[in-house]
């Protein structure tokens, strides 16, 4: 389905990952801009995307964000991935993209739930278009948290209704369970990406309902890239950990 607007294609994203030689997306779940800027400088050469939760940053300031995080990420060739998990109607998702955090101005990839309808993708892309930018949407098809309501039937409907949309680069899958990932790959085919959170070499680190699987198993089951937070940012040696996750997921 042609969207009638320019978007970041799956090929663009996959080749950027290939150029960087890593399938690790860093979940930089910190409270301050300095911490995010610091971890990016430290482990940037081992990651392909920097995933943020911008609404969790206590000292958010757009100029500092652009100068200290977005600018350096762009220089390194690291894509900015805002995990906003948009879920509202298309128009409201558009205004959230253009809100005070100006997500449309700097994010290359954002997450969205399919629950409200497929027009959420169009709303998000309208925001990018208004900023003269291109991006792409990763839709949540599965989740890693225990007790989530994204069951098999929901996952199937999500994939069937979104895999033909150009503005969607792929799906979030449950990295903690490799059979979930292979089933998802079966539904998705090869034309879209599968990005998997719920990845940690030490599954005992899981807290508050999070579940973890092994990075190598996730890639073997069909994941394009693993999303790793605690396994890197809470490690005593984040650089060594980032290298290790990159090696574990190497082609
Ligand atoms: O490695 P962790 O557990 O420290 O962090 C996991 C990161 C967090 C979550 O917001 C995110 O992955 N996440 C996601 C997404 C879309 O990335 C979906 C999901 O089902 N589970 C999950 O943990 O930043």
């Amino acid at each position: 389905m042609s969207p009638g607007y320019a978007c970041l294609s799956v090929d663009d994203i996959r080749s950027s990952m290939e150029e960087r030689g890593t399938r690790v997306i860093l979940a930089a779940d910190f409270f301050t801009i300095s911490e995010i800027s610091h971890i990016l400088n430290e482990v940037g050469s081992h990651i392909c995307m920097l995933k943020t939760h911008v609404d969790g940053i206590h000292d958010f300031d757009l100029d500092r964000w652009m100068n200290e995080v977005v600018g350096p990420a762009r220089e390194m060739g690291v894509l900015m991935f805002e995990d906003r998990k948009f879920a509202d109607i298309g128009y409201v998702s558009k205004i959230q993209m253009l809100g005070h955090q100006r997500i449309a101005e700097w994010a290359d990839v954002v997450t969205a739930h399919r629950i409200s309808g497929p027009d959420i993708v169009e709303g998000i892309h309208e925001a990018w278009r208004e900023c003269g930018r291109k991006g792409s949407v990763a839709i949540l098809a599965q989740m890693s948290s225990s007790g989530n309501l994204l069951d098999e039937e929901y996952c199937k409907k999500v994939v069937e209704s979104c895999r033909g949309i150009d503005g969607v680069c792929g799906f979030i899958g449950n990295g903690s369970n490799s059979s979930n990932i292979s089933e998802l790959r079966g539904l998705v085919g090869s034309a879209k990406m599968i990005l998997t959170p719920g990845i940690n070499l030490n599954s005992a680190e899981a807290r508050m309902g999070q579940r973890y699987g092994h990075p190598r198993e996730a890639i073997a089951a069909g994941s394009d890239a693993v999303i790793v937070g605690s396994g890197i940012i809470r490690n005593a040696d984040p650089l060594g950990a980032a290298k290790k996750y990159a090696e574990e997921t190497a082609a």
Side-chain angles (χ1 to χ4, degrees):
M1 191 194 305
S2 170
Y5 48 79
C7 50
L8 200 60
S9 71
V10 173
D11 285 350
D12 294 335
I13 301 173
R14 280 188 171 145
S15 31
S16 130
M17 281 168 39
E18 215 158 286
E19 265 167 41
R20 297 195 55 70
T22 163
R23 296 162 182 253
V24 177
I25 298 172
L26 179 70
D29 292 340
F30 286 117
F31 301 119
T32 64
I33 291 180
S34 311
E35 288 168 302
I36 297 178
S37 153
H38 183 269
I39 195 85
L40 172 64
N41 288 322
E42 188 174 8
V43 309
S45 50
H46 301 287
I47 63 171
C48 56
M49 298 190 213
L50 179 69
K51 190 180 83 67
T52 55
H53 284 293
V54 74
D55 48 4
I57 301 174
H58 295 179
D59 61 351
F60 186 78
D61 169 88
L62 186 62
D63 288 340
R64 282 192 59 208
W65 183 248
M66 297 304 280
N67 291 330
E68 296 174 38
V69 176
V70 179
R74 284 183 185 155
E75 268 167 38
M76 290 177 200
V78 168
L79 295 175
M80 290 297 302
F81 178 173
E82 168 54 26
D83 187 11
R84 176 62 182 72
K85 297 186 179 74
F86 292 100
D88 213 313
I89 57 171
Y91 177 68
V92 171
S93 300
K94 173 185 168 180
I95 65 173
Q96 289 170 325
M97 281 283 282
L98 295 168
H100 65 102
Q101 295 149 339
R102 305 298 295 165
I103 296 170
E105 281 184 23
W106 50 266
D108 302 301
V109 176
V110 300
T111 44
H113 282 285
R114 164 66 177 79
I115 190 86
S116 60
D119 293 324
I120 193 165
V121 177
E122 168 62 15
I124 290 169
H125 278 278
E126 254 196 50
W128 270 315
R129 198 157 59 235
E130 283 190 16
C131 293
R133 296 192 65 245
K134 294 193 294 186
S136 196
V137 182
I139 302 280
L140 283 106
Q142 296 171 341
M143 289 195 76
S144 62
S145 43
S146 59
N148 74 71
L149 299 175
L150 286 70
D151 61 15
E152 257 178 66
E153 200 192 333
Y154 176 83
C155 172
K156 202 162 168 247
K157 285 186 192 161
V158 165
V159 174
E160 278 169 1
S161 61
C162 294
R163 71 179 162 213
I165 305 177
D166 282 354
V168 168
C169 59
F171 300 90
I172 301 294
N174 173 17
S176 73
N177 181 324
S178 48
S179 50
N180 280 181
I181 303 173
S182 5
E183 281 155 28
L184 183 58
R185 182 51 83 193
L187 295 172
V188 169
S190 58
K192 298 283 186 196
M193 304 177 69
I194 296 177
L195 311 176
T196 53
I199 297 291
N200 197 313
L201 289 163
N202 178 8
S203 56
E205 274 188 34
R207 50 183 185 162
M208 290 180 141
Q210 179 63 300
R211 297 173 296 188
Y212 286 130
H214 194 283
R216 203 177 329 116
E217 284 171 18
I219 296 292
S223 168
D224 284 88
V226 294
I227 297 174
V228 185
S230 309
I232 295 174
I233 70 170
R234 289 185 214 291
N235 194 290
D237 171 19
L239 177 59
K243 271 189 198 162
K244 176 89 179 136
Y245 281 92
E247 282 161 15
E248 291 287 350
T249 50

